């Protein structure tokens, strides 16, 4: 026999109500034509194709196949223009190696997780 008993308060506990998810419409994001596009830039005129694709919201993986003469100067000019386009679109850009560029748009940021190697002395 128990010495301590619960005091009966006389209140009735109602069961908790649950949300029926079938009553709410399913929100599906609208389909977009944005894709990851792989393109090659050989001349300055190819920048117009890259800018058109970027302004449509695509993520671009660009290979710069420039002629060997004055490649450094041409690459600097092209990357400066691509940086401007990425900034206009609200995206980000990173140069990979000597001839590759990754450019995102619509607020997609690039998180560069490549660790820097320590130089040996």
């Amino acid at each position: 026999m128990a010495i301590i008993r619960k005091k009966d308060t006389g209140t009735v506990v109602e069961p908790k109500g649950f949300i029926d998810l079938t009553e709410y419409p399913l929100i599906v994001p609208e389909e977009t034509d944005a894709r990851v596009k792989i393109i090659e830039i050989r001349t300055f005129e190819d920048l117009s194709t890259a800018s058109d694709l970027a302004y449509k919201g695509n993520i671009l993986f660009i290979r710069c196949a420039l002629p060997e003469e004055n490649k450094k100067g041409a690459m600097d000019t092209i990357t400066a223009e691509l940086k401007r386009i990425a900034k206009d679109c609200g995206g980000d850009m990173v140069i990979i190696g000597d001839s590759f560029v990754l450019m995102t748009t619509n607020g997609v940021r690039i998180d560069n997780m490549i660790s820097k190697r320590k130089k040996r002395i």
Side-chain angles (χ1 to χ4, degrees):
M1 184 164 132
I3 300 175
I4 302 174
R5 283 192 291 177
K6 280 187 169 181
K7 184 179 178 182
D8 187 19
T9 59
T11 59
V12 178
V13 177
E14 294 183 23
K16 293 183 178 181
F18 293 97
I19 299 173
D20 187 10
L21 295 178
T22 58
E23 295 176 4
Y24 297 98
L26 179 63
I27 300 172
V28 179
E30 64 184 61
E31 191 167 323
T32 179
D33 290 335
R35 303 279 188 260
V36 175
K37 302 280 186 175
I38 301 171
I39 64 171
E40 185 173 72
I41 292 179
R42 294 181 183 195
T43 62
F44 291 111
E45 289 79 24
D46 294 338
L47 279 173
S48 65
T49 304
S51 66
D52 289 342
L53 292 171
Y55 285 119
K56 290 180 182 176
N58 295 300
I59 296 173
L60 303 178
F61 187 75
I62 303 165
R63 179 178 178 263
C64 297
L66 303 170
E68 288 301 319
E69 65 275 355
N70 196 16
K71 184 174 182 175
K72 175 73 173 147
M75 186 70 175
D76 291 342
T77 306
I78 287 174
T79 54
E81 183 65 21
L82 290 173
K83 283 181 188 179
R84 187 192 60 77
I85 293 169
K87 186 177 178 182
D88 285 348
C89 294
D92 204 1
M93 188 192 92
V94 67
I95 300 169
I96 304 168
D98 292 335
S99 60
F100 292 101
V101 176
L102 179 63
M103 186 170 71
T104 64
T105 58
N106 296 333
V108 178
R109 297 285 175 222
I110 298 172
D111 188 10
N112 192 355
M113 298 295 291
I114 298 173
S115 63
K116 306 285 186 199
R117 284 187 154 187
K118 293 184 179 177
K119 293 182 180 180
R120 291 185 181 181
I121 299 175

